[in-house]
Amino acid sequence: MTLLSRGDDPPIPPAAPVGARVTGAQLRVDLTFQPSGTRVRVPPGVTVFDAASWNGIAIDSTCGGHGTCKKCKVRIEGPVPASPLDARAFSPDELRAGWRLACRAQAGTDLSVEVPPLVTRPKAATVGVGRQVILRPAAQKRYLELAEPSLSDQQTDLERVLAALDDLELRTDLAVLRKLGQVLRAADYRVTAVIVDDVLIDVQPGDTTGHLFGIAFDLGTTTVVATLLDLTTGTPLAVASMLSKQQPFGADVITRISAVMMDPAALDALARLAHETLAELTAEVCGSAGVDPAEVCEVALAGNATMTHLALGIDPEPLGVAPFIMSARLLPEVLAADLGLPVHPRARAFCFPAFGAYVGGDITSGLLASGMDRDSRTRLFIDIGTNCEIVLGNREWLLATAAPAGPAFEGAAIRCGMRAADGAIEVVSMTPDEVTLQVIGDVPPEGLCGSGLVDAVASLVTVGLLDTSGRFVPEEQAAAVAPGLAGRLTMLGGQADSVANTERVFVLHWRGEPGDVADSIYLSQRDVRELQFAKAAIATGWNILLEEAGLGPGDVQQVLLAGSFGSYLSPASAIRIGLVPKMPALRVVSAGNVAGEGAKMALLSVRERAGALALLQEVRYVELSDRADFNDAFVDQLAFPG
Ligand code: FES
């Protein structure tokens, strides 16, 4: 029993000095795979097997890189010392010719790797943004048939089990020892060892290797999503989501932090509500898949820094006030029980690390799923919400920041705004003569959600009813540029010629009689201003990152819109209002729920998890709030592109 982690884990590159940009030249080696000729760049120390699987190159394997199947044979040109396992798998002539087991071969320098055709199909799952992950969960089960003790073999029970697992350096705890003797004897020494990372968490009677499950949680501020995964196949078995039970403490992280600042007892209540939310989802996914929750041996949790702090019962107050300090970037070992989860009592929980107080573990997870650190293109990742997280970069460098966008995109602070639910106008298109609306749920419109708001403003700018400063144009001009719509541009709260208590609005839908503005769904001048503030905050964020990188908007080759709002936002409208840089609309793509996908990847592959931890060294966080140029840059971004 030792405290060592498995010896084959890739070393994580050392932390960069504060303020320095980590470049690929220091942290990458080139591997060329034959016969495909594919070239990949990975951190030194990564195994050839992982470098291949990270880049979708299949190498034969049935053990998923655990070093037990000896099927991952490749021929390497370049200096790679033979491991003890290589000596058992190959003849001396083969070793001299460069044959190695890919999962033991660490790339310390540039290499050429010949990959023989597949004999068996590797177990793999497609997750993330088109990413193929070779299955190698941190959780694993091994069926053991052990010799019974005798007077000539007086190994202890634990020694007997660990000797059968001698390729692993394992530790365990008292709870396992308490039941070990009884389980071994009752099962005639036919048992299954349950392992997570380097911890033996259980020894079960008989062969239970076919039952190994994990749950990936996307712990959002508003919504929490759980996906139950079969870790033996990578298959998702059930998905469930629900509103966070913390909602009564406020809709956003700031109000929840404030609640704790005002009443320290609120921390316990918020932690308990997070646990109840996670536990209910656990019961739901396990129930619908017919899985015993006790067979869930690991969970992964991707949440922003505040939500993660609250779920773990850590005081979030320092996150809410300058200088915005987290309790820890990397969390210590967490048990699923610490999150109140009714799963295996010694199941582990992997919580994604955060870059900063406002670029949290959900973004680390999202970056993992989107492969930002492995793509040669310079890409912009934007997760739009009340707090908007922005990451710019490619496989050589990554910069991250957070911009306070406010609640406009969630329909709050908008006069006729609402959440994206049944009755929300989600798509708006206009010609100079008519307005076309698409409503969620095919029911009569009740309000305007974020994507509809962006569409409406983009359309009004395009038809010429809003000028680029964000003002509705005068009536005569409206009648000239959009004769069929001019009647919708009217006043709320008075006559068109009265200035007291009135506001100019554009009516999207007459609910009652045409002309009854108060009973219509409209967009007001103030709503347009709210959207301008939100989009200017975001555009200022990515402009400052571009400036830091010495690039311009034209250098961005793709925009990834993350999160549920990103899925519904029209790329053309986002470009039209200047929310994202000007580019062909096809290059602005929805990345979907990348936080949840990253959590799944971390459960399915210990290598992907190491990649998420390595991101902490590769991403440089840029704080916007202390920049002297922020206000000027923000004002510059208020206008819509001409
Ligand atoms: S021994 Fe199975 S993948 Fe290398």
Side-chain angles (χ1 to χ4, degrees):
M1 249 186 343
T2 78
L3 290 171
L4 293 177
S5 60
R6 283 213 288 268
D8 54 0
D9 284 346
I12 295 170
V18 174
R21 180 181 306 158
V22 177
T23 69
Q26 300 161 293
L27 286 175
R28 298 285 190 261
V29 294
D30 277 6
L31 304 187
T32 308
F33 287 91
Q34 303 295 358
S36 66
T38 310
R39 271 185 69 194
V40 306
R41 302 184 73 225
V42 294
V46 165
T47 66
V48 169
F49 185 85
D50 289 331
S53 69
W54 285 350
N55 290 280
I57 299 161
I59 291 182
D60 223 339
S61 162
T62 50
C63 74
H66 282 293
T68 54
C69 73
K70 300 195 189 75
K71 289 186 186 301
C72 58
K73 295 176 177 173
V74 294
R75 202 174 66 77
I76 299 176
E77 276 175 35
V80 176
S83 72
L85 268 186
D86 286 322
R88 285 190 243 159
F90 300 105
S91 70
D93 278 352
E94 286 174 321
L95 289 174
R96 269 191 294 279
W99 285 96
R100 299 286 185 274
L101 292 176
C103 70
R104 303 292 106 178
Q106 293 188 334
T109 180
D110 295 354
L111 300 172
S112 172
V113 182
E114 182 187 321
V115 182
L118 292 189
V119 178
T120 48
R121 232 183 115 65
K123 287 180 184 172
T126 301
V127 285
V129 185
R131 300 278 315 277
Q132 243 224 350
V133 172
I134 303 289
L135 277 188
R136 192 187 168 188
Q140 55 170 313
K141 282 187 169 182
R142 300 265 190 101
Y143 175 60
L144 310 174
E145 295 189 353
L146 304 171
E148 289 191 27
S150 64
L151 286 176
S152 59
D153 172 8
Q154 290 188 322
Q155 279 184 309
T156 65
D157 289 340
L158 185 60
E159 283 164 351
R160 195 169 301 278
V161 170
L162 293 182
L165 301 166
D166 65 351
D167 59 318
L168 305 173
E169 298 275 1
L170 294 176
R171 58 197 169 99
T172 191
D173 58 29
L174 185 59
V176 175
L177 278 189
R178 280 191 177 129
K179 61 179 278 197
L180 182 59
Q182 189 266 331
V183 169
L184 285 176
R185 285 160 188 87
D188 287 334
Y189 292 84
R190 306 282 192 270
V191 292
T192 299
V194 187
I195 298 148
V196 181
D197 277 324
D198 60 342
V199 187
L200 178 67
I201 68 162
D202 202 1
V203 176
Q204 299 171 334
D207 183 354
T208 65
T209 50
H211 299 261
L212 183 62
F213 303 94
I215 303 178
F217 289 106
D218 170 11
L219 182 64
T221 310
T222 308
T223 308
V224 185
V225 185
T227 306
L228 176 69
L229 291 167
D230 181 336
L231 298 181
T232 66
T233 61
T235 317
L237 300 176
V239 183
S241 67
M242 64 186 282
L243 286 178
S244 167
K245 287 175 178 269
Q246 293 179 339
Q247 290 285 330
F249 281 85
D252 56 55
V253 294
I254 296 297
T255 47
R256 292 184 204 170
I257 294 172
S258 307
V260 176
M261 288 164 81
M262 287 186 293
D263 175 12
L267 176 58
D268 280 349
L270 281 159
R272 194 188 65 247
L273 291 169
H275 296 176
E276 285 175 14
T277 307
L278 296 170
E280 249 180 60
L281 287 169
T282 299
E284 191 176 338
V285 290
C286 288
S288 68
V291 165
D292 179 352
E295 291 178 328
V296 172
C297 294
E298 197 179 26
V299 304
L301 187 86
N304 63 48
T306 304
M307 290 300 291
T308 305
H309 274 60
L310 290 173
L312 293 171
I314 303 171
D315 182 2
E317 184 175 336
L319 298 171
V321 291
F324 313 114
I325 301 301
M326 293 185 288
S327 62
R329 207 177 299 277
L330 269 174
L331 293 158
E333 187 175 68
V334 177
L335 295 181
D338 295 323
L339 294 164
L341 290 172
V343 293
H344 188 289
R346 287 175 298 285
R348 262 50 191 172
F350 173 75
C351 299
F352 274 87
F355 302 117
Y358 290 95
V359 181
D362 50 343
I363 301 305
T364 316
S365 178
L367 291 184
L368 176 70
S370 58
M372 282 282 284
D373 59 329
R374 293 172 195 181
D375 202 306
S376 58
R377 292 170 296 174
T378 297
R379 300 197 288 173
L380 184 59
F381 172 103
I382 306 180
D383 191 333
I384 300 170
T386 309
N387 174 58
C388 176
E389 297 95 348
I390 305 166
V391 184
L392 173 75
N394 54 42
R395 65 187 183 188
E396 305 284 342
W397 54 270
L398 290 163
L399 299 172
T401 194
F409 292 115
E410 291 176 357
I414 300 298
R415 296 285 288 272
C416 295
M418 65 179 283
R419 275 194 196 288
D422 281 359
I425 299 171
E426 60 168 348
V427 178
V428 178
S429 58
M430 288 180 204
T431 66
D433 294 312
E434 65 174 355
V435 175
T436 309
L437 308 177
Q438 194 174 308
V439 181
I440 299 176
D442 269 337
V443 295
E446 286 171 25
L448 190 61
C449 68
S451 61
L453 170 70
V454 173
D455 271 0
V457 171
S459 300
L460 287 165
V461 174
T462 302
V463 299
L465 293 180
L466 272 176
D467 65 21
T468 55
S469 77
R471 256 194 317 266
F472 283 119
V473 298
E475 278 176 24
E476 316 75 60
Q477 192 178 336
V481 297
L485 307 183
R488 293 171 179 261
L489 190 56
T490 181
M491 286 284 183
L492 175 70
Q495 298 303 309
D497 57 355
S498 159
V499 288
N501 299 321
T502 61
E503 189 180 12
R504 291 195 82 195
V505 300
F506 180 85
V507 176
L508 291 162
H509 175 73
W510 300 108
R511 265 201 285 229
E513 288 298 309
D516 184 359
V517 183
D519 192 29
S520 72
I521 297 170
Y522 57 83
L523 185 73
S524 75
Q525 183 67 72
R526 249 181 291 165
D527 297 337
V528 177
R529 294 285 181 235
E530 289 288 343
L531 180 66
Q532 282 179 281
F533 290 140
K535 83 100 185 171
I538 294 169
T540 305
W542 54 254
N543 267 292
I544 286 178
L545 293 188
L546 281 168
E547 204 181 291
E548 286 278 313
L551 300 176
D555 294 311
V556 178
Q557 291 163 287
Q558 189 183 51
V559 174
L560 291 169
L561 296 173
S564 55
F565 180 66
S567 309
Y568 297 107
L569 188 60
S570 147
S573 296
I575 295 166
R576 185 67 194 89
I577 67 165
L579 182 63
V580 301
K582 194 169 178 193
M583 63 175 61
L586 281 176
R587 290 214 218 139
V588 179
V589 297
S590 161
N593 175 18
V594 279
E597 288 299 297
K600 284 195 238 168
M601 288 170 72
L603 278 183
L604 295 178
S605 163
V606 72
R607 297 308 188 191
E608 298 293 345
R609 185 180 304 191
L613 299 176
L615 276 169
L616 281 192
Q617 269 72 48
E618 297 181 358
V619 175
R620 180 160 72 87
Y621 182 68
V622 177
E623 178 63 55
L624 294 187
S625 57
D626 66 344
R627 291 185 67 107
D629 56 348
F630 181 85
N631 279 350
D632 288 346
F634 177 81
V635 171
D636 286 348
Q637 293 301 328
L638 282 170
F640 299 118

Short mmCIF file of all heavy atoms in Angstrom, two decimals, residues 213 228 237-238 283-292:
data_model
loop_
_atom_site.label_atom_id
_atom_site.label_comp_id
_atom_site.label_asym_id
_atom_site.label_seq_id
_atom_site.Cartn_x
_atom_site.Cartn_y
_atom_site.Cartn_z
N PHE A 213 -20.59 1.89 -13.09
CA PHE A 213 -21.31 3.07 -13.57
C PHE A 213 -20.74 4.36 -12.99
O PHE A 213 -20.10 4.35 -11.93
CB PHE A 213 -22.81 2.96 -13.20
CG PHE A 213 -23.44 1.71 -13.74
CD1 PHE A 213 -23.52 0.57 -12.96
CD2 PHE A 213 -23.91 1.66 -15.04
CE1 PHE A 213 -24.07 -0.60 -13.45
CE2 PHE A 213 -24.47 0.50 -15.56
CZ PHE A 213 -24.55 -0.64 -14.76
N LEU A 228 -26.11 9.36 -16.59
CA LEU A 228 -25.60 8.09 -16.06
C LEU A 228 -24.87 7.36 -17.19
O LEU A 228 -25.42 7.21 -18.29
CB LEU A 228 -26.77 7.23 -15.56
CG LEU A 228 -26.40 5.83 -15.06
CD1 LEU A 228 -25.61 5.89 -13.76
CD2 LEU A 228 -27.66 4.98 -14.87
N LEU A 237 -26.71 5.96 -20.32
CA LEU A 237 -27.90 5.14 -20.08
C LEU A 237 -29.13 5.98 -19.78
O LEU A 237 -30.24 5.58 -20.08
CB LEU A 237 -27.64 4.18 -18.90
CG LEU A 237 -26.48 3.21 -19.07
CD1 LEU A 237 -26.29 2.40 -17.80
CD2 LEU A 237 -26.73 2.28 -20.26
N ALA A 238 -28.94 7.13 -19.15
CA ALA A 238 -30.09 7.97 -18.80
C ALA A 238 -29.61 9.39 -18.53
O ALA A 238 -28.49 9.60 -18.05
CB ALA A 238 -30.79 7.42 -17.55
N ALA A 283 -31.16 9.61 -8.19
CA ALA A 283 -32.25 8.63 -8.07
C ALA A 283 -32.99 8.51 -9.39
O ALA A 283 -33.37 7.41 -9.82
CB ALA A 283 -33.20 9.06 -6.95
N GLU A 284 -33.17 9.64 -10.07
CA GLU A 284 -33.94 9.61 -11.31
C GLU A 284 -33.20 8.84 -12.42
O GLU A 284 -33.78 7.98 -13.08
CB GLU A 284 -34.24 11.05 -11.75
CG GLU A 284 -35.25 11.09 -12.87
CD GLU A 284 -35.64 12.51 -13.25
OE1 GLU A 284 -35.47 13.42 -12.41
OE2 GLU A 284 -36.10 12.69 -14.39
N VAL A 285 -31.91 9.15 -12.61
CA VAL A 285 -31.20 8.46 -13.72
C VAL A 285 -31.01 6.97 -13.40
O VAL A 285 -31.15 6.12 -14.29
CB VAL A 285 -29.84 9.12 -14.08
CG1 VAL A 285 -30.07 10.46 -14.76
CG2 VAL A 285 -28.91 9.26 -12.88
N CYS A 286 -30.71 6.66 -12.14
CA CYS A 286 -30.53 5.24 -11.79
C CYS A 286 -31.85 4.50 -11.90
O CYS A 286 -31.91 3.39 -12.42
CB CYS A 286 -29.95 5.10 -10.38
SG CYS A 286 -28.23 5.59 -10.28
N GLY A 287 -32.94 5.14 -11.45
CA GLY A 287 -34.26 4.52 -11.53
C GLY A 287 -34.64 4.24 -12.97
O GLY A 287 -35.09 3.15 -13.32
N SER A 288 -34.43 5.21 -13.85
CA SER A 288 -34.90 4.99 -15.22
C SER A 288 -34.03 4.00 -15.98
O SER A 288 -34.48 3.39 -16.93
CB SER A 288 -35.05 6.32 -15.98
OG SER A 288 -33.80 6.88 -16.20
N ALA A 289 -32.78 3.80 -15.54
CA ALA A 289 -31.92 2.81 -16.22
C ALA A 289 -31.92 1.47 -15.49
O ALA A 289 -31.28 0.52 -15.94
CB ALA A 289 -30.50 3.35 -16.32
N GLY A 290 -32.62 1.37 -14.36
CA GLY A 290 -32.64 0.12 -13.60
C GLY A 290 -31.29 -0.23 -13.00
O GLY A 290 -30.91 -1.39 -12.92
N VAL A 291 -30.54 0.80 -12.60
CA VAL A 291 -29.20 0.59 -12.04
C VAL A 291 -29.25 0.84 -10.54
O VAL A 291 -29.84 1.83 -10.08
CB VAL A 291 -28.19 1.56 -12.71
CG1 VAL A 291 -26.89 1.64 -11.93
CG2 VAL A 291 -27.92 1.12 -14.15
N ASP A 292 -28.62 -0.06 -9.77
CA ASP A 292 -28.53 0.14 -8.32
C ASP A 292 -27.54 1.29 -8.06
O ASP A 292 -26.38 1.21 -8.48
CB ASP A 292 -28.01 -1.16 -7.69
CG ASP A 292 -27.85 -1.04 -6.18
OD1 ASP A 292 -27.99 0.07 -5.64
OD2 ASP A 292 -27.55 -2.08 -5.55
#
